[in-house]
Amino acid sequence: VSPQLVAFIAFLCFVVSRADGAYTTLVAMEAAFSALFFLLYLLRLDKQMHWLFWPLADFFNSVIAALFLLVVCLFAVIIKTNNGTVAGGVLGLILFVLSIIDAVLVFQKISFNGPRRNTPAK
């Protein structure tokens, strides 16, 4: 299951149900950030931009997104404004689980003591 797809469907649920702006904004931002990281790795831009340790940035993005998603989507499910808000909240909780899985997988690939690649002097 693609996190971008789940985030987009949750976004649509919140928009259609005319939910509070916090629900819609959070899910839209998570969809945008995960899409940007997907494109970053797909186009191999992380290999060209050495000034940031991209896996660690991806890990922090997943952890922070998971925390926000947990809080906001639990509120959406608990308050039960309408069916669309509940559906978006449930999808947001699924996105929370996917963010946790992503954080664990990325953290397992991070090597803090591994060899560093030296770039040749120009």
Side-chain angles (χ1 to χ4, degrees), residues 33-81:
F33 284 140
S34 62
L36 288 174
F37 274 105
F38 178 75
L39 285 175
L40 176 88
Y41 292 128
L42 181 70
L43 300 175
R44 300 191 188 269
L45 295 175
D46 59 323
K47 304 291 184 201
Q48 296 175 357
M49 294 186 278
H50 299 287
W51 49 271
L52 184 63
F53 189 44
W54 290 103
L56 193 60
D58 192 6
F59 170 76
F60 282 128
N61 173 53
S62 296
V63 169
I64 291 169
L67 291 174
F68 282 123
L69 283 166
L70 178 64
V71 172
V72 170
C73 292
L74 276 178
F75 278 128
V77 171
I78 291 170
I79 292 174
K80 298 179 185 176
T81 308

Side-chain angles (χ1 to χ4, degrees), residues 53 107-117:
F53 189 44
F107 189 74
Q108 288 177 346
K109 292 182 181 182
I110 294 175
S111 171
F112 293 107
N113 295 328
R116 300 281 183 203
R117 180 177 40 179

